[in-house]
Amino acid sequence: MMKLKLIYPKWEKLTGQTTFNLPPHGPVVFAATLPDYVDVAFTDENVETIDFDDPCDLVAISMMLSTQVKRGWEIANQFRKRDKKVIFGGISTMLHAEETVEHADAVFLGEAEGRMEEVLEDWKNDRLKKVYNYMGQHPPIELVGPARRDLYRHNLYNHKGVQMVDLFHASRGCRFSCYPCAVSYLGGRVFRPRPMDKVVEELATIENNRLFVVDNSLAQNKEWEMELFREMIPFKKKWVSHTIEDDPKILDSAARAGAWYVYQAVYDTSDYIRERVKRYHDYGIGVEGTILIGLDNQSEDDIKRLIDFLLEINLDLAEFTVMTPFPHTKGYDDLYRQGRIFDFDWNHYNAGQVVFHPKQMTAERLQELLQYAWDTFYHDESQEQKMFHLFSKVVLKEMQDGTYRPRNRELIDQSFGKKVRRELRIENIS
């Protein structure tokens, strides 16, 4: 039995926003690809402290965000000083491979299913390759098994006593290629749904009643969407996802399958967006708008009009980000070629800090407008209050279908107050 230490590096959260930690998905999906003879110990540095002296044979560092990479390199350097071999993988390893390889004994690029035996054999024979490059060479999607959720310390993932969602995916790849997004580079432009029996198998292993379906978009194939939602209905999960197809039959099926709220990009002030948000609401599905500012076609007045529009269409939540030129995106290629990127400190690539020269305003002004957006949208009701309204809706749905798992009365009073408990009619909690 070999001991592998799997680490997910911490990153600095954005100031002024409600902070909570979700259980990371990438590391436990990777852990499921390892052979049975590997004993995995997982540390999420966002909620735990790394023990650098804990005995292990190999260290694997899984990174998702650009803001994690510098911390990931620091962690690797500490282990390598202790003569431990370190391998990197994950999304931001793929985006920052050339730099990451300088801090690693090996980097793994691509999807790991069916490929880790080779890597571990190389490690055992002291012949690790510097780079294992499987980019664009996707393994059979049938190999994707249930994630290793047993590695989580679930009690660490809550906000004010409220259990956070578990993460789950039913497909890979995305047929869209959005300007600021690296998904087409990472997972390809071909939509790759997992076999439905594998999806059902994994859903059956998830104890948490609340999920985040992290697929890049569910609006990929209508027949597949309908089948997915039909299969989800018996589990009575309540879930969050990215965009759902704008079709009444699909929205109705999603609602019956437990759709709680969706992340919907709001990129203009059109009637299409207004009606789209209304249709979600008509089916009892909340909407968190994802709003990107700083694109070349946006003036200061455009951004202010967009924020006013968001208040008109009754979004349940809004998340504001600035255009960020992540490596291997069209946005990065364009801005780098034009000499407009002035900051290459990856810690600042958090979608909340301006790192390039916008076309229609200064970088300083765009940074001010980002703060203006947050302040204006949440002026009358804080982000935490709006989040609670969404939470209260899901609690009521859970109570209606008998899946609500009450926590003790004192904890709810401490978190939200007695008035809220009475409003939710959870007086029976002991």
Side-chain angles (χ1 to χ4, degrees):
M1 183 71 72
M2 72 164 289
K3 294 178 69 69
L4 181 140
K5 193 170 185 67
L6 177 59
I7 294 172
Y8 189 65
K10 66 182 177 183
W11 71 92
E12 186 176 346
K13 309 303 187 288
L14 295 174
T15 57
Q17 295 185 37
T18 302
T19 298
F20 51 85
N21 292 292
L22 300 180
H25 191 51
V28 294
V29 171
F30 162 74
T33 71
L34 297 169
D36 292 340
Y37 63 79
V38 180
D39 179 23
V40 183
F42 175 56
T43 302
D44 176 359
E45 197 189 14
N46 294 281
V47 294
E48 301 173 273
T49 301
I50 298 171
D51 182 355
F52 287 97
D53 297 311
D54 185 32
C56 65
D57 299 308
L58 180 65
V59 177
I61 300 177
S62 176
M63 305 190 298
M64 180 180 71
L65 305 172
S66 288
T67 53
Q68 287 177 290
V69 296
K70 290 175 71 174
R71 177 57 184 162
W73 301 340
E74 292 173 356
I75 293 168
N77 295 342
Q78 287 293 320
F79 278 111
R80 294 177 85 196
K81 286 178 184 177
R82 292 165 168 79
D83 295 322
K84 300 296 183 185
K85 297 289 187 183
V86 177
I87 183 169
F88 279 88
I91 288 173
S92 60
T93 295
M94 292 181 253
L95 297 183
H96 302 273
E98 290 183 4
E99 293 170 280
T100 300
V101 77
E102 299 300 320
H103 303 269
D105 295 286
V107 296
F108 187 96
L109 310 177
E111 298 174 9
E113 284 77 15
R115 289 161 175 167
M116 291 314 298
E117 287 275 12
E118 173 199 356
V119 177
L120 294 175
E121 279 298 313
D122 287 350
W123 168 79
K124 284 190 284 188
N125 292 294
D126 199 27
R127 63 181 186 216
L128 269 179
K129 299 176 183 137
K130 201 68 174 171
V131 178
Y132 293 84
N133 189 354
Y134 290 100
M135 295 295 292
Q137 304 171 48
H138 306 304
I141 195 68
E142 295 80 11
L143 294 180
V144 180
R148 287 283 310 276
R149 292 182 180 81
D150 58 293
L151 297 175
Y152 293 144
R153 292 176 60 190
H154 287 277
N155 62 306
L156 298 177
Y157 298 104
N158 65 74
H159 177 65
K160 290 191 171 183
V162 176
Q163 182 70 46
M164 292 290 98
V165 294
D166 267 17
L167 278 59
F168 163 80
H169 76 297
S171 68
R172 292 182 180 175
C174 185
R175 61 188 178 88
F176 306 110
S177 185
C178 301
Y179 185 73
C181 183
V183 166
S184 60
Y185 171 77
L186 296 165
R189 291 287 303 278
V190 176
F191 172 59
R192 295 177 286 134
R194 296 172 62 185
M196 204 55 68
D197 63 328
K198 293 285 188 179
V199 170
V200 171
E201 176 191 3
E202 180 155 5
L203 282 170
T205 70
I206 302 174
E207 294 184 6
N208 194 342
N209 190 49
R210 300 171 191 153
L211 299 181
F212 179 5
V213 183
V214 297
D215 300 50
N216 301 302
S217 169
L218 294 182
Q220 302 270 353
N221 178 290
K222 288 187 177 183
E223 290 182 7
W224 172 79
E225 256 181 305
M226 289 293 287
E227 184 182 5
L228 174 66
F229 298 152
R230 279 196 301 270
E231 294 291 347
M232 292 181 74
I233 287 172
F235 290 97
K236 296 185 178 181
K237 303 291 188 186
K238 304 299 176 282
W239 47 271
V240 181
S241 75
H242 297 291
T243 308
I244 297 171
E245 197 84 44
D246 190 13
D247 178 288
K249 289 183 179 178
I250 291 175
L251 289 171
D252 177 65
S253 184
R256 288 189 291 112
W260 174 8
Y261 68 94
V262 297
Y263 293 97
Q264 171 66 49
V266 180
Y267 40 81
D268 60 29
T269 59
S270 65
D271 287 340
Y272 170 77
I273 293 292
R274 186 190 300 272
E275 290 303 312
R276 188 144 172 60
V277 172
K278 181 180 182 299
R279 277 191 291 275
Y280 281 127
H281 284 158
D282 287 345
Y283 288 93
I285 302 171
V287 183
E288 176 166 355
T290 56
I291 295 67
L292 179 65
I293 66 173
L295 297 169
D296 281 357
N297 65 351
Q298 291 177 326
S299 68
E300 180 173 336
D301 287 342
D302 290 331
I303 292 171
K304 288 182 174 180
R305 274 194 297 271
L306 180 59
I307 296 162
D308 291 340
F309 176 74
L310 302 179
L311 294 168
E312 292 174 18
I313 61 177
N314 298 317
L315 288 179
D316 299 273
L317 285 170
E319 179 176 317
F320 300 95
T321 59
V322 287
M323 168 63 195
T324 304
F326 295 105
H328 298 285
T329 63
K330 182 69 163 56
Y332 181 91
D333 293 343
D334 287 351
L335 293 174
Y336 183 82
R337 187 179 64 253
Q338 296 163 17
R340 292 166 59 189
I341 302 175
F342 62 79
D343 186 346
F344 291 91
D345 183 339
W346 303 125
N347 283 348
H348 298 160
Y349 279 60
N350 55 16
Q353 189 158 332
V354 182
V355 297
F356 74 103
H357 296 291
K359 191 170 185 178
Q360 300 198 45
M361 65 200 75
T362 65
E364 292 77 15
R365 184 56 182 150
L366 178 57
Q367 193 71 56
E368 291 170 357
L369 285 170
L370 177 66
Q371 189 60 51
Y372 169 83
W374 285 102
D375 291 345
T376 302
F377 185 82
Y378 291 106
H379 180 268
D380 293 331
E381 196 170 37
S382 72
Q383 186 182 24
E384 193 156 86
Q385 288 172 313
K386 286 181 180 289
M387 287 176 66
F388 176 73
H389 289 317
L390 271 177
F391 170 69
S392 64
K393 289 177 182 177
V394 83
V395 167
L396 289 174
K397 287 181 179 180
E398 289 170 347
M399 293 175 69
Q400 288 166 1
D401 65 18
T403 59
Y404 179 63
R405 298 173 184 171
R407 303 178 71 86
N408 70 62
R409 181 185 296 235
E410 289 74 20
L411 182 56
I412 290 177
D413 287 351
Q414 176 185 342
S415 301
F416 300 111
K418 294 179 181 179
K419 180 173 182 280
V420 166
R421 172 164 53 80
R422 289 196 295 269
E423 287 176 357
L424 290 179
R425 297 182 177 85
I426 46 182
E427 292 296 318
N428 59 330
I429 294 175
S430 58

